[in-house]
């Protein structure tokens, strides 16, 4: 209150008088006249304006006193006269007046308002995004009408030497369960398929196809736009296409009854068109082929109890207890295939029934499909969003407290003219509500900008409209209120509690306790920022660690051309390989069924581990050609690789990896040579042992693997390129391929990209952390900026005096930064152990993990501190360079 | 300083007496009372205005807004006929009380 504004004081006082309902506007005018008469008299006596105002108010009474006397006389009458409408209007006017004064206060301090609004907006934005993400993760597969009655069968399979946990199941399981258990209403089995389809001139490779039973549309609620849901998939060679896929082939024609011809010359009749699958479905298909089609080339597929290529879903009758059904499964297995299992020495111990809606969030077993969510990431993201919002709220509180010196006078004045504590609380809360509201609107705008690219980036169906669907609108409202209360509550209750007498006497309003609280909040904010920086660094480092892992095969670029077992390609495989080898930039070429980073086969085999001992084992295998080891530059530890010089290699030889050697307990790679693996009707002698190479992903350790030659199984061509010929190679390979194989679209990619795709989740995780850490430190620094501005401002006079007394600029900077520096050190000490345990926990999930380097912590601390110090310095330098004469005159 | 009871009992009559001489507004009435009592009697705004309101309801006074040049707008009060007749009755009552005290305390009778 540099200058006491008498008119403003009178207006404020009158405003409060008017809020009292028993005082009519005429009465208020009369009271105002009275007050002014009294003031005139006091002023003419030479009393100072401010003192005069106080005395006049004391005599006439504040709102509270006036209310008391007026109510005593008028109450009954007023109550009779005032209608509810008047009452409401009065309340509304009151709120409008709070809003006006809130806006005025916000305008007056633009930078603080900006810090608060922007900080809260970013915090709310993070919350909204995480909310949408969590919502989309948890909504997976819930749109099916029968969702809570559907289960998927998994398999626990015990072999002689290990337990296999699979998501897939054998084809006879489903029908057998339906016939044996009355509580199982029906079942559907689906299996991956891919085809090169042609309709007239439209040729496309379709990789998202399933074989399916005819019950598909009865059990699931996927919408069938055309066709009969119960009969579309009954007849052999029927196909149901998704809308987009159908349009791709048939454009505007009616697809029903038309045929798609595959690469084997088989024609499939379109019997239905389904709506495109929602993104929050783990089953996503472009087409469904009737299971009965398989009968023509694999007549007994339905009787193979140990073929595990189907996903079987059961529809249970309403009210079925899953646990009770689960308990009966072992007996079911025994009665159906007990003897068979004993005769081959391995078998199913249980068929876990996985609830349909839990599939997305549960850990995939062996061969799961569809995008997989992880609950742990949901928790982590939730915690991050909460902390960012909390940091923003703390800014609000901190700045409000820092500014309370300024606001205290306003509060004092308002109290002197008769405002009650409750009114002031409401006023401050409306201020914080307004700020939060503005921040919320801003965050929605940010959301609108950021959601579409983000949804693509993390390949999840994020829709902004979800924020207001159903009860979510209330969640938003609740968030708004909670944040207003959280951010505005503390300042509101503290500030409104100021005693005017103390303020007017100039006593300190910021006690030691409050200073401690304020410092605690700064420590908290920076500790969180540092933790997030450490986590970002750890995630990024781990990603680099994975990428730089020695994969055990060639470091040169490898290009894969997938032809999906196309017979025409297989028939001229040697010609194709040779054509590419003639190119100067191709160093080696190989055809195989499997390539690193994709899948591998698994089959039962008998292994003669010693002359008189044989064991049955589940064998992971690669089907390759003679040049595979040479193309991937696999290192031989013993024996030799496949060679054209040994014609028997194509049927009687197997190359195994090092892990296989230790798995069977052989002393050395040499000892493994000549051991015999029997499977697929072949007896294969070990001719060579290669060093382990990473054929899955670096999430897991390398498992035993066998490789043998099966040309009929080839799916892909691998081309090792000369290291320095990389650019432009892609286009040239594509051109050559299209000349050699004109009928099949080119599907080529680099090994490097394929490997990188395996760390998609980690990459997303890393970028989210990067954003979170960035946002956290940004908000924390905005708060620090405001706070340091305030500290500097409060000490303007002190700085002036010090300068006059000869303090250098550096000393003053030191003085201003010292307090904050101390807080940063404490924040660092708090952050290190928490960050350490968090990082350790996450890293322990990886088979190949990077080490936690102490430097990560130190650098994180330095980054946060540097940014913080820079933020503070701006204000400090400004304060320190002020002309001392002006500084001393300040106030 | 007169007791609260006495202030309560006399306030209405004092206001009526002032208004009978000259119409007046709230602040002036309080000031006038203060002057007449040499600063002994100081009414608060709240109590005066509620009293004025009550008297208006009883139709002893009525009020009107006046804006004189060079002065602020003020609400003036003036005595009604009913107020004047009440005042006459009150005057007699107060004078008789006054007479009792004069005789008891041996004072010179005087009427202001």
């Amino acid at each position: 209150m540099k200058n006491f504004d008498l008119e403003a004081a009178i207006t404020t006082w009158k405003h409060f008088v008017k809020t009292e309902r028993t005082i009519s506007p005429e009465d208020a005018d009369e009271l105002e006249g009275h007050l002014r008469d009294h003031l005139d008299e006091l002023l003419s006596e030479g009393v100072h304006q401010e003192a005069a105002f106080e005395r006049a108010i004391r005599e006439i009474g504040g709102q509270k006193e006036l209310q008391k006397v007026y109510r005593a006389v008028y109450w009954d009458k007023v109550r009779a006269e005032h209608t509810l409408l008047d009452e409401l209007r009065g309340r509304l006017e009151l709120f409008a007046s709070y809003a006006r004064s809130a806006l005025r206060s916000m305008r007056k301090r633009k930078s603080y308002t900006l810090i608060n609004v922007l900080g809260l907006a970013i915090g709310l934005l993070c919350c909204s995004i995480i909310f949408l993400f969590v919502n989309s993760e948890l909504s997976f597969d819930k749109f099916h009408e029968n969702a809570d009655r559907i289960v998927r069968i998994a398999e626990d399979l015990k072999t002689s030497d290990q337990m296999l946990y699979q998501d897939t199941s054998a084809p006879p399981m489903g029908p057998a369960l339906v016939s044996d258990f009355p509580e199982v209403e029906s079942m559907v089995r689906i299996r991956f398929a891919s085809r090169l389809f042609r309709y007239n001139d439209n040729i496309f490779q379709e990789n998202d196809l399933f074989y399916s039973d005819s019950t598909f549309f009865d059990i699931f609620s996927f919408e069938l736009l055309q066709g009969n849901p119960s009969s579309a998939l009954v007849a052999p060679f029927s196909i149901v296409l998704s809308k987009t896929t159908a349009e791709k082939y048939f454009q505007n024609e009616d697809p029903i009854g038309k045929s798609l011809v595959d690469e084997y010359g088989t024609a499939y009749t379109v019997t239905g068109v389904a709506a495109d699958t929602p993104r929050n479905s783990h089953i996503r298909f472009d087409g469904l082929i009737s299971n009965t089609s398989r009968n023509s080339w694999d007549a007994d597929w339905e009787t193979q109890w140990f073929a595990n290529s189907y996903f079987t879903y059961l529809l249970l009758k309403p009210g079925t207890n899953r646990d009770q059904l689960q308990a009966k499964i072992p007996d079911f297995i025994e009665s159906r295939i007990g003897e068979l299992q004993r005769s081959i020495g391995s078998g199913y111990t249980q068929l876990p029934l996985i609830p349909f809606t839990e599939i997305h969030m549960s850990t995939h077993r062996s061969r799961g499909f569809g995008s997989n969510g992880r609950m742990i990431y949901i928790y982590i993201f939730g915690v991050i969003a909460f902390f960012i919002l909390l940091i923003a709220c703390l800014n609000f509180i901190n700045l409000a407290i820092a500014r309370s010196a300024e606001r205290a006078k306003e509060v004092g004045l308002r109290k002197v003219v008769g405002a009650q504590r409750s009114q002031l609380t409401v006023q401050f809360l409306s201020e914080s509500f307004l700020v939060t509201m503005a921040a919320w609107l801003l965050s929605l705008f940010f959301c609108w900008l950021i959601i579409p690219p983000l949804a693509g980036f993390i390949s999840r169906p994020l829709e902004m409209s979800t924020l207001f669907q159903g009860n979510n609108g209330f969640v938003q409202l609740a968030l708004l209120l909670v944040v207003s209360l959280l951010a505005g509550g503390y300042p509101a209750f503290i500030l409104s509690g100021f005693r005017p007498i103390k303020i007017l006497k100039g006593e300190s309003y910021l006690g030691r306790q409050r200073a401690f609280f304020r410092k605690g909040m700064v420590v908290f904010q920076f500790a969180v920022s540092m933790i997030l920086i450490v986590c970002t660094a750890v995630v990024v480092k781990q990603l680099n660690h994975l990428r730089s892992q020695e994969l055990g095969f060639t470091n040169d670029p490898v290009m894969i051309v997938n032809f999906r077992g196309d017979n025409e390609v297989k028939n001229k495989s040697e010609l194709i390989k040779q054509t590419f080898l003639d190119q100067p930039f191709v160093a080696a070429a190989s055809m195989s069924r499997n390539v690193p980073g994709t899948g591998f086969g698994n089959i039962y085999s008998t292994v003669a581990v010693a002359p008189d001992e044989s064991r049955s084992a589940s064998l992971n295998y690669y089907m390759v050609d003679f040049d595979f080891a040479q193309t991937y530059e696999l290192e031989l530890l013993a024996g030799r690789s496949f060679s054209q010089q040994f014609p028997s290699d194509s049927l009687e030889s197997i190359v195994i990896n090092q892990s296989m050697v230790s798995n069977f307990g052989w002393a050395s790679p040499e000892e493994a040579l000549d051991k015999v693996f029997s499977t697929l009707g072949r007896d294969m002698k070990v001719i060579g042992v290669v060093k382990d190479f990473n054929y899955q992903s670096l999430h897991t350790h390398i498992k035993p693997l066998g490789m043998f030659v099966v040309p009929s199984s080839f799916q892909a061509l691998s081309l090792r390129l000369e290291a320095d010929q990389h650019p432009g190679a892609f286009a040239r390979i594509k051109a050559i391929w299209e000349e050699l194989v004109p009928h099949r679209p080119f599907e080529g990619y680099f090994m490097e990209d394929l490997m990188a795709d395996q760390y998609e989740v980690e990459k997303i995780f890393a970028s989210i952390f990067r954003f979170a850490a960035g946002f956290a430190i940004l908000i924390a620094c905005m708060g620090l900026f405001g706070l340091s501005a305030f500290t500097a401002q409060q000490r303007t006079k002190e700085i002036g005096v010090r300068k006059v007394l000869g303090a250098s600029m550096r000393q003053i900077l030191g003085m201003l930064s010292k307090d904050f520096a101390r807080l940063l050190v404490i924040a660092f000490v708090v952050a290190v152990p928490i960050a350490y345990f968090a990082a350790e926990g996450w890293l322990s999930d990886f088979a190949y993990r990077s080490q936690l380097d102490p430097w990560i912590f130190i650098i994180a601390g330095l980054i946060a501190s540097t940014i913080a110090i820079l933020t503070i310095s701006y204000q400090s330098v400004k304060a320190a360079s002020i002309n001392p004469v002006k500084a001393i005159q300040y106030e | 300083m007169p007791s609260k009871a006495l202030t309560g009992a006399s306030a209405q009559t004092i206001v009526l007496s002032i208004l009978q001489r000259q119409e007046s507004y709230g602040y002036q009435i309080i000031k006038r009372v203060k002057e007449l009592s040499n600063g002994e009697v100081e009414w608060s705004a709240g109590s005066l205005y509620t009293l004025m309101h009550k008297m208006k309801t009883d139709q002893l006074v009525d009020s009107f807004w006046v804006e004189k040049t060079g002065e602020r707008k003020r609400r003036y009060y003036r005595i009604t006929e009913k107020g004047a007749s009440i005042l006459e009755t009150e005057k007699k009552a107060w004078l008789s009380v006054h007479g009792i005290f004069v005789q008891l305390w041996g004072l010179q009778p005087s009427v202001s």
Side-chain angles (χ1 to χ4, degrees), chain A residues 117 120 124 396 431-441 479-485 487-488:
Chain A
V117 171
L120 283 175
L124 287 170
F396 193 106
E431 237 170 81
S432 98
F433 183 75
L434 252 143
V435 169
T436 313
M437 192 75 187
W440 182 67
L441 290 175
L479 187 70
L480 209 60
L481 287 177
V482 166
V483 170
S484 310
L485 273 177

PDB file of all heavy atoms in Angstrom, chain A residues 117 120 124 396 431-441 479-485 487-488:
ATOM      1  N   VAL A 117      -0.581 -20.717 -14.967  1.00  0.00           N
ATOM      2  CA  VAL A 117      -1.474 -21.285 -15.985  1.00  0.00           C
ATOM      3  C   VAL A 117      -0.719 -22.285 -16.848  1.00  0.00           C
ATOM      4  O   VAL A 117      -1.175 -23.406 -17.057  1.00  0.00           O
ATOM      5  CB  VAL A 117      -2.089 -20.176 -16.858  1.00  0.00           C
ATOM      6  CG1 VAL A 117      -2.827 -20.774 -18.038  1.00  0.00           C
ATOM      7  CG2 VAL A 117      -3.035 -19.323 -16.032  1.00  0.00           C
ATOM      8  N   LEU A 120       0.279 -25.458 -14.780  1.00  0.00           N
ATOM      9  CA  LEU A 120      -0.867 -26.326 -14.532  1.00  0.00           C
ATOM     10  C   LEU A 120      -1.365 -26.947 -15.836  1.00  0.00           C
ATOM     11  O   LEU A 120      -1.791 -28.098 -15.862  1.00  0.00           O
ATOM     12  CB  LEU A 120      -1.998 -25.545 -13.862  1.00  0.00           C
ATOM     13  CG  LEU A 120      -1.825 -25.270 -12.377  1.00  0.00           C
ATOM     14  CD1 LEU A 120      -2.960 -24.393 -11.866  1.00  0.00           C
ATOM     15  CD2 LEU A 120      -1.783 -26.563 -11.581  1.00  0.00           C
ATOM     16  N   LEU A 124      -1.839 -30.775 -16.366  1.00  0.00           N
ATOM     17  CA  LEU A 124      -3.136 -31.351 -16.729  1.00  0.00           C
ATOM     18  C   LEU A 124      -3.045 -32.098 -18.050  1.00  0.00           C
ATOM     19  O   LEU A 124      -3.682 -33.128 -18.239  1.00  0.00           O
ATOM     20  CB  LEU A 124      -4.192 -30.249 -16.817  1.00  0.00           C
ATOM     21  CG  LEU A 124      -4.642 -29.669 -15.480  1.00  0.00           C
ATOM     22  CD1 LEU A 124      -5.488 -28.420 -15.692  1.00  0.00           C
ATOM     23  CD2 LEU A 124      -5.429 -30.699 -14.686  1.00  0.00           C
ATOM     24  N   PHE A 396       2.112 -23.209  -7.825  1.00  0.00           N
ATOM     25  CA  PHE A 396       0.998 -22.327  -7.525  1.00  0.00           C
ATOM     26  C   PHE A 396       1.026 -21.941  -6.043  1.00  0.00           C
ATOM     27  O   PHE A 396       0.970 -20.774  -5.687  1.00  0.00           O
ATOM     28  CB  PHE A 396      -0.303 -23.047  -7.858  1.00  0.00           C
ATOM     29  CG  PHE A 396      -1.500 -22.151  -7.877  1.00  0.00           C
ATOM     30  CD1 PHE A 396      -2.075 -21.791  -9.084  1.00  0.00           C
ATOM     31  CD2 PHE A 396      -2.060 -21.659  -6.703  1.00  0.00           C
ATOM     32  CE1 PHE A 396      -3.181 -20.964  -9.114  1.00  0.00           C
ATOM     33  CE2 PHE A 396      -3.152 -20.836  -6.728  1.00  0.00           C
ATOM     34  CZ  PHE A 396      -3.716 -20.481  -7.941  1.00  0.00           C
ATOM     35  N   GLU A 431     -10.149 -17.455  -7.286  1.00  0.00           N
ATOM     36  CA  GLU A 431      -8.976 -17.099  -8.067  1.00  0.00           C
ATOM     37  C   GLU A 431      -8.275 -18.354  -8.572  1.00  0.00           C
ATOM     38  O   GLU A 431      -7.943 -18.460  -9.746  1.00  0.00           O
ATOM     39  CB  GLU A 431      -8.001 -16.311  -7.186  1.00  0.00           C
ATOM     40  CG  GLU A 431      -7.668 -14.949  -7.742  1.00  0.00           C
ATOM     41  CD  GLU A 431      -6.910 -14.133  -6.721  1.00  0.00           C
ATOM     42  OE1 GLU A 431      -5.696 -14.337  -6.616  1.00  0.00           O
ATOM     43  OE2 GLU A 431      -7.531 -13.298  -6.033  1.00  0.00           O
ATOM     44  N   SER A 432      -8.068 -19.309  -7.673  1.00  0.00           N
ATOM     45  CA  SER A 432      -7.350 -20.508  -8.083  1.00  0.00           C
ATOM     46  C   SER A 432      -8.202 -21.318  -9.050  1.00  0.00           C
ATOM     47  O   SER A 432      -7.689 -21.958  -9.962  1.00  0.00           O
ATOM     48  CB  SER A 432      -6.927 -21.335  -6.874  1.00  0.00           C
ATOM     49  OG  SER A 432      -7.816 -22.367  -6.626  1.00  0.00           O
ATOM     50  N   PHE A 433      -9.520 -21.268  -8.865  1.00  0.00           N
ATOM     51  CA  PHE A 433     -10.393 -21.985  -9.792  1.00  0.00           C
ATOM     52  C   PHE A 433     -10.284 -21.381 -11.189  1.00  0.00           C
ATOM     53  O   PHE A 433     -10.229 -22.098 -12.183  1.00  0.00           O
ATOM     54  CB  PHE A 433     -11.838 -21.929  -9.303  1.00  0.00           C
ATOM     55  CG  PHE A 433     -12.793 -22.704 -10.159  1.00  0.00           C
ATOM     56  CD1 PHE A 433     -12.827 -24.086 -10.094  1.00  0.00           C
ATOM     57  CD2 PHE A 433     -13.633 -22.058 -11.036  1.00  0.00           C
ATOM     58  CE1 PHE A 433     -13.685 -24.806 -10.894  1.00  0.00           C
ATOM     59  CE2 PHE A 433     -14.501 -22.772 -11.840  1.00  0.00           C
ATOM     60  CZ  PHE A 433     -14.530 -24.144 -11.769  1.00  0.00           C
ATOM     61  N   LEU A 434     -10.230 -20.055 -11.234  1.00  0.00           N
ATOM     62  CA  LEU A 434     -10.115 -19.377 -12.530  1.00  0.00           C
ATOM     63  C   LEU A 434      -8.816 -19.749 -13.239  1.00  0.00           C
ATOM     64  O   LEU A 434      -8.786 -20.014 -14.433  1.00  0.00           O
ATOM     65  CB  LEU A 434     -10.172 -17.873 -12.317  1.00  0.00           C
ATOM     66  CG  LEU A 434     -11.465 -17.262 -12.801  1.00  0.00           C
ATOM     67  CD1 LEU A 434     -11.907 -16.151 -11.894  1.00  0.00           C
ATOM     68  CD2 LEU A 434     -11.284 -16.753 -14.205  1.00  0.00           C
ATOM     69  N   VAL A 435      -7.733 -19.733 -12.459  1.00  0.00           N
ATOM     70  CA  VAL A 435      -6.432 -20.093 -13.031  1.00  0.00           C
ATOM     71  C   VAL A 435      -6.464 -21.534 -13.530  1.00  0.00           C
ATOM     72  O   VAL A 435      -6.034 -21.839 -14.641  1.00  0.00           O
ATOM     73  CB  VAL A 435      -5.312 -19.918 -11.980  1.00  0.00           C
ATOM     74  CG1 VAL A 435      -4.020 -20.546 -12.464  1.00  0.00           C
ATOM     75  CG2 VAL A 435      -5.107 -18.452 -11.683  1.00  0.00           C
ATOM     76  N   THR A 436      -7.018 -22.426 -12.691  1.00  0.00           N
ATOM     77  CA  THR A 436      -7.082 -23.827 -13.075  1.00  0.00           C
ATOM     78  C   THR A 436      -7.926 -24.009 -14.329  1.00  0.00           C
ATOM     79  O   THR A 436      -7.595 -24.769 -15.228  1.00  0.00           O
ATOM     80  CB  THR A 436      -7.674 -24.674 -11.934  1.00  0.00           C
ATOM     81  OG1 THR A 436      -7.029 -24.295 -10.727  1.00  0.00           O
ATOM     82  CG2 THR A 436      -7.449 -26.137 -12.168  1.00  0.00           C
ATOM     83  N   MET A 437      -9.036 -23.267 -14.365  1.00  0.00           N
ATOM     84  CA  MET A 437      -9.951 -23.342 -15.508  1.00  0.00           C
ATOM     85  C   MET A 437      -9.203 -22.918 -16.780  1.00  0.00           C
ATOM     86  O   MET A 437      -9.292 -23.602 -17.808  1.00  0.00           O
ATOM     87  CB  MET A 437     -11.106 -22.378 -15.226  1.00  0.00           C
ATOM     88  CG  MET A 437     -12.266 -22.522 -16.150  1.00  0.00           C
ATOM     89  SD  MET A 437     -13.192 -23.994 -15.704  1.00  0.00           S
ATOM     90  CE  MET A 437     -14.328 -24.008 -17.067  1.00  0.00           C
ATOM     91  N   ALA A 438      -8.480 -21.819 -16.692  1.00  0.00           N
ATOM     92  CA  ALA A 438      -7.728 -21.336 -17.852  1.00  0.00           C
ATOM     93  C   ALA A 438      -6.696 -22.386 -18.253  1.00  0.00           C
ATOM     94  O   ALA A 438      -6.533 -22.693 -19.435  1.00  0.00           O
ATOM     95  CB  ALA A 438      -7.039 -20.020 -17.519  1.00  0.00           C
ATOM     96  N   ALA A 439      -6.016 -22.944 -17.235  1.00  0.00           N
ATOM     97  CA  ALA A 439      -4.999 -23.962 -17.510  1.00  0.00           C
ATOM     98  C   ALA A 439      -5.636 -25.173 -18.167  1.00  0.00           C
ATOM     99  O   ALA A 439      -5.091 -25.765 -19.095  1.00  0.00           O
ATOM    100  CB  ALA A 439      -4.313 -24.376 -16.214  1.00  0.00           C
ATOM    101  N   TRP A 440      -6.822 -25.527 -17.695  1.00  0.00           N
ATOM    102  CA  TRP A 440      -7.515 -26.697 -18.215  1.00  0.00           C
ATOM    103  C   TRP A 440      -7.859 -26.497 -19.699  1.00  0.00           C
ATOM    104  O   TRP A 440      -7.646 -27.372 -20.529  1.00  0.00           O
ATOM    105  CB  TRP A 440      -8.762 -26.936 -17.389  1.00  0.00           C
ATOM    106  CG  TRP A 440      -9.556 -28.137 -17.773  1.00  0.00           C
ATOM    107  CD1 TRP A 440      -9.184 -29.441 -17.645  1.00  0.00           C
ATOM    108  CD2 TRP A 440     -10.854 -28.142 -18.372  1.00  0.00           C
ATOM    109  NE1 TRP A 440     -10.176 -30.260 -18.115  1.00  0.00           N
ATOM    110  CE2 TRP A 440     -11.218 -29.493 -18.558  1.00  0.00           C
ATOM    111  CE3 TRP A 440     -11.744 -27.142 -18.741  1.00  0.00           C
ATOM    112  CZ2 TRP A 440     -12.424 -29.863 -19.115  1.00  0.00           C
ATOM    113  CZ3 TRP A 440     -12.957 -27.508 -19.287  1.00  0.00           C
ATOM    114  CH2 TRP A 440     -13.291 -28.855 -19.475  1.00  0.00           C
ATOM    115  N   LEU A 441      -8.398 -25.310 -20.008  1.00  0.00           N
ATOM    116  CA  LEU A 441      -8.744 -25.018 -21.404  1.00  0.00           C
ATOM    117  C   LEU A 441      -7.492 -25.076 -22.281  1.00  0.00           C
ATOM    118  O   LEU A 441      -7.499 -25.640 -23.366  1.00  0.00           O
ATOM    119  CB  LEU A 441      -9.412 -23.653 -21.513  1.00  0.00           C
ATOM    120  CG  LEU A 441     -10.806 -23.582 -20.910  1.00  0.00           C
ATOM    121  CD1 LEU A 441     -11.345 -22.157 -20.941  1.00  0.00           C
ATOM    122  CD2 LEU A 441     -11.756 -24.522 -21.645  1.00  0.00           C
ATOM    123  N   LEU A 479     -11.198 -33.519 -11.366  1.00  0.00           N
ATOM    124  CA  LEU A 479      -9.785 -33.147 -11.481  1.00  0.00           C
ATOM    125  C   LEU A 479      -9.637 -31.635 -11.343  1.00  0.00           C
ATOM    126  O   LEU A 479      -8.783 -31.123 -10.626  1.00  0.00           O
ATOM    127  CB  LEU A 479      -9.256 -33.613 -12.840  1.00  0.00           C
ATOM    128  CG  LEU A 479      -7.762 -33.465 -13.072  1.00  0.00           C
ATOM    129  CD1 LEU A 479      -7.009 -34.447 -12.198  1.00  0.00           C
ATOM    130  CD2 LEU A 479      -7.406 -33.706 -14.528  1.00  0.00           C
ATOM    131  N   LEU A 480     -10.538 -30.932 -12.032  1.00  0.00           N
ATOM    132  CA  LEU A 480     -10.517 -29.474 -12.007  1.00  0.00           C
ATOM    133  C   LEU A 480     -10.686 -28.963 -10.577  1.00  0.00           C
ATOM    134  O   LEU A 480      -9.953 -28.088 -10.111  1.00  0.00           O
ATOM    135  CB  LEU A 480     -11.675 -28.983 -12.882  1.00  0.00           C
ATOM    136  CG  LEU A 480     -11.531 -27.654 -13.565  1.00  0.00           C
ATOM    137  CD1 LEU A 480     -10.334 -27.687 -14.479  1.00  0.00           C
ATOM    138  CD2 LEU A 480     -12.777 -27.353 -14.380  1.00  0.00           C
ATOM    139  N   LEU A 481     -11.663 -29.537  -9.880  1.00  0.00           N
ATOM    140  CA  LEU A 481     -11.937 -29.097  -8.513  1.00  0.00           C
ATOM    141  C   LEU A 481     -10.794 -29.461  -7.582  1.00  0.00           C
ATOM    142  O   LEU A 481     -10.364 -28.649  -6.765  1.00  0.00           O
ATOM    143  CB  LEU A 481     -13.245 -29.718  -8.016  1.00  0.00           C
ATOM    144  CG  LEU A 481     -14.499 -29.113  -8.648  1.00  0.00           C
ATOM    145  CD1 LEU A 481     -15.745 -29.844  -8.162  1.00  0.00           C
ATOM    146  CD2 LEU A 481     -14.611 -27.628  -8.318  1.00  0.00           C
ATOM    147  N   VAL A 482     -10.312 -30.685  -7.726  1.00  0.00           N
ATOM    148  CA  VAL A 482      -9.239 -31.135  -6.836  1.00  0.00           C
ATOM    149  C   VAL A 482      -8.006 -30.262  -7.023  1.00  0.00           C
ATOM    150  O   VAL A 482      -7.390 -29.820  -6.050  1.00  0.00           O
ATOM    151  CB  VAL A 482      -8.907 -32.625  -7.097  1.00  0.00           C
ATOM    152  CG1 VAL A 482      -7.599 -33.010  -6.436  1.00  0.00           C
ATOM    153  CG2 VAL A 482     -10.027 -33.500  -6.591  1.00  0.00           C
ATOM    154  N   VAL A 483      -7.674 -29.982  -8.284  1.00  0.00           N
ATOM    155  CA  VAL A 483      -6.487 -29.159  -8.539  1.00  0.00           C
ATOM    156  C   VAL A 483      -6.702 -27.747  -8.002  1.00  0.00           C
ATOM    157  O   VAL A 483      -5.812 -27.170  -7.379  1.00  0.00           O
ATOM    158  CB  VAL A 483      -6.138 -29.153 -10.044  1.00  0.00           C
ATOM    159  CG1 VAL A 483      -5.071 -28.118 -10.338  1.00  0.00           C
ATOM    160  CG2 VAL A 483      -5.667 -30.519 -10.468  1.00  0.00           C
ATOM    161  N   SER A 484      -7.897 -27.191  -8.199  1.00  0.00           N
ATOM    162  CA  SER A 484      -8.169 -25.851  -7.662  1.00  0.00           C
ATOM    163  C   SER A 484      -7.975 -25.840  -6.165  1.00  0.00           C
ATOM    164  O   SER A 484      -7.380 -24.928  -5.602  1.00  0.00           O
ATOM    165  CB  SER A 484      -9.602 -25.410  -7.932  1.00  0.00           C
ATOM    166  OG  SER A 484      -9.927 -25.577  -9.245  1.00  0.00           O
ATOM    167  N   LEU A 485      -8.518 -26.868  -5.523  1.00  0.00           N
ATOM    168  CA  LEU A 485      -8.433 -26.922  -4.067  1.00  0.00           C
ATOM    169  C   LEU A 485      -6.999 -27.140  -3.609  1.00  0.00           C
ATOM    170  O   LEU A 485      -6.519 -26.492  -2.686  1.00  0.00           O
ATOM    171  CB  LEU A 485      -9.303 -28.054  -3.536  1.00  0.00           C
ATOM    172  CG  LEU A 485     -10.758 -27.681  -3.293  1.00  0.00           C
ATOM    173  CD1 LEU A 485     -11.532 -28.898  -2.831  1.00  0.00           C
ATOM    174  CD2 LEU A 485     -10.858 -26.579  -2.239  1.00  0.00           C
ATOM    175  N   ALA A 487      -4.220 -26.494  -5.275  1.00  0.00           N
ATOM    176  CA  ALA A 487      -3.350 -25.364  -5.566  1.00  0.00           C
ATOM    177  C   ALA A 487      -3.784 -24.123  -4.789  1.00  0.00           C
ATOM    178  O   ALA A 487      -2.947 -23.372  -4.298  1.00  0.00           O
ATOM    179  CB  ALA A 487      -3.358 -25.084  -7.061  1.00  0.00           C
ATOM    180  N   GLY A 488      -5.083 -23.929  -4.684  1.00  0.00           N
ATOM    181  CA  GLY A 488      -5.554 -22.690  -4.077  1.00  0.00           C
ATOM    182  C   GLY A 488      -5.887 -22.815  -2.604  1.00  0.00           C
ATOM    183  O   GLY A 488      -5.998 -21.818  -1.901  1.00  0.00           O
TER     184      GLY A 488
END
